[in-house]
Amino acid sequence: MSNKGFSYNHMRARKSSLVYHIGALIAVTAWGLSFISTKILLQAGLGAVEVYVYRSLLAYLCVLLVCPRPILSNSLSDELKFLLAGICGNSLYFIAENTAMKYTLVSNVSLIVTTAPILTALLIGAMYRSERPNRGFLTGSAIAFAGVACVIFNSSFVVEVNPLGDMLAVLSAVCWAVYSILLRPLNAIYSVWFITRKTFFYGVLTALPFLAVEPSLVGLDVLLQPAVIGNLCFLAMVCSMIAYVLWAASIKKIGVIKSGNYLYVSPIVTLLASALYLKEHVSIVGYAGCALILIGVILSEKLSARFKR
């Protein structure tokens, strides 16, 4: 092959990769905004499990319209993987995260959950030798994580240790890491739409027992409020359906570790959206954290490539 042909193919590959990097960034941006919508729904009177079930059920029905067939996966083994993915990436992840906020500070939960990319990298490295995180990745991740701490402690540097809440937050982070790893073998066989539909189905199914023990459910009059309908639709269509499809596609094309690194951007989106829509104060520490996160993500990508050479 000529140098010209090689250069053209290399450029095409880079452009294709860029698309999936952008997809991962869109997904984490949506998840950053989801905290605002979730807070609005909780203030309207919905329970934490209610919010998850309604958004995921609506998202499942929408994905079902796009990908109605096939119903089952190729084997019982794959079906069990989808069940585990639905639990780890949906029901248990969200329920553990929301419940943790009842027993510990929100800042504790946010900081602990943001360890998911590091946990994912360590787990994937232990399972697949070819994808072990190198020094470049770990350096960039450490800088980004320091930035996340600044963003989370934007208005307060108070840290309290509450074992139950903090352990639930750790469980949530581990769940997301396991979910990301489960996507790897499933992506090799199934389409991202099929994967998303199956995980939503099992997520809703395994959340129903939690919904049954909720103290009370809101009435139809609350659900029909414009603000409630609008935010539920945003959570279902954008934060669940579109974001999960983009995330699965990104993991399939650019890998679990590189995709996971974008999760550090989510707190930036939450911080800025909180300031804009909820009128929450952003200090110089918060802005410094945003800068550190961006620097860390960029360095992680650049240094990872350098250490591979």
Side-chain angles (χ1 to χ4, degrees), residues 10-294:
H10 181 66
M11 186 177 296
R12 285 188 60 187
R14 289 191 64 180
K15 287 183 178 179
S16 177
S17 175
L18 179 61
V19 169
Y20 293 101
H21 280 280
I22 293 173
L25 187 58
I26 292 173
V28 299
T29 299
W31 291 331
L33 293 172
S34 71
F35 285 97
I36 309 302
S37 288
T38 300
K39 185 169 184 177
I40 292 172
L41 292 173
L42 292 173
Q43 290 174 341
L46 279 75
V49 180
E50 271 188 291
V51 173
Y52 166 72
V53 170
Y54 295 152
R55 69 178 276 187
S56 295
L57 180 59
L58 181 56
Y60 170 73
L61 294 175
C62 292
V63 175
L64 187 62
L65 293 175
V66 178
C67 179
R69 295 287 188 275
I71 300 297
L72 298 175
S73 56
N74 296 338
S75 65
L76 177 60
S77 174
D78 285 352
E79 201 69 26
L80 291 175
K81 289 177 184 176
F82 280 118
L83 171 61
L84 187 57
I87 294 172
C88 292
N90 283 268
S91 57
L92 187 56
Y93 170 78
F94 283 107
I95 292 170
E97 181 181 75
N98 293 340
T99 306
M101 296 182 191
K102 295 181 180 179
Y103 299 102
T104 189
L105 298 176
V106 174
S107 56
N108 288 37
V109 177
S110 300
L111 185 59
I112 293 170
V113 169
T114 313
T115 62
I118 297 175
L119 291 174
T120 302
L122 294 176
L123 287 174
I124 202 73
M127 296 174 64
Y128 302 98
R129 190 171 184 177
S130 62
E131 292 193 32
R132 286 181 179 174
N134 55 36
R135 285 178 294 167
F137 171 83
L138 294 176
T139 300
S141 294
I143 295 172
F145 188 69
V148 169
C150 290
V151 168
I152 291 169
F153 300 121
N154 161 60
S155 58
S156 174
F157 284 93
V158 177
V159 180
E160 294 180 5
V161 177
N162 297 277
L164 178 58
D166 292 341
M167 288 304 297
L168 285 171
V170 170
L171 174 62
S172 188
V174 172
C175 282
W176 188 260
V178 173
Y179 168 72
S180 297
I181 292 171
L182 284 169
L183 288 183
R184 182 185 174 112
L186 295 174
N187 267 325
I189 304 172
Y190 304 98
S191 72
V192 293
W193 284 101
F194 181 78
I195 291 171
T196 304
R197 195 197 79 206
K198 295 291 286 185
T199 53
F200 282 170
F201 172 77
Y202 283 118
V204 173
L205 187 66
T206 54
L208 292 179
F210 294 95
L211 188 64
V213 297
E214 280 273 274
S216 62
L217 303 179
V218 299
L220 191 60
D221 57 324
V222 174
L223 290 176
L224 292 179
Q225 292 176 7
V228 172
I229 294 175
N231 282 285
L232 277 177
C233 287
F234 174 73
L235 288 172
M237 302 294 294
V238 179
C239 302
S240 289
M241 184 178 76
I242 294 176
Y244 270 74
V245 167
L246 289 174
W247 190 251
S250 298
I251 286 180
K252 187 173 187 176
K253 295 298 182 180
I254 64 177
V256 175
I257 293 177
K258 287 186 176 181
S259 298
N261 210 30
Y262 283 103
L263 288 169
Y264 292 118
V265 177
S266 185
I268 296 179
V269 178
T270 304
L271 182 75
L272 298 179
S274 297
L276 183 62
Y277 294 105
L278 302 178
K279 308 303 179 184
E280 294 183 355
H281 174 67
V282 180
S283 68
I284 188 66
V285 175
Y287 287 118
C290 292
L292 282 174
I293 292 171
L294 293 176

Side-chain angles (χ1 to χ4, degrees), residues 286-307:
Y287 287 118
C290 292
L292 282 174
I293 292 171
L294 293 176
I295 292 170
V297 171
I298 293 171
L299 279 179
S300 181
E301 180 70 20
K302 297 295 183 183
L303 293 178
S304 292
R306 178 176 295 179
F307 277 106

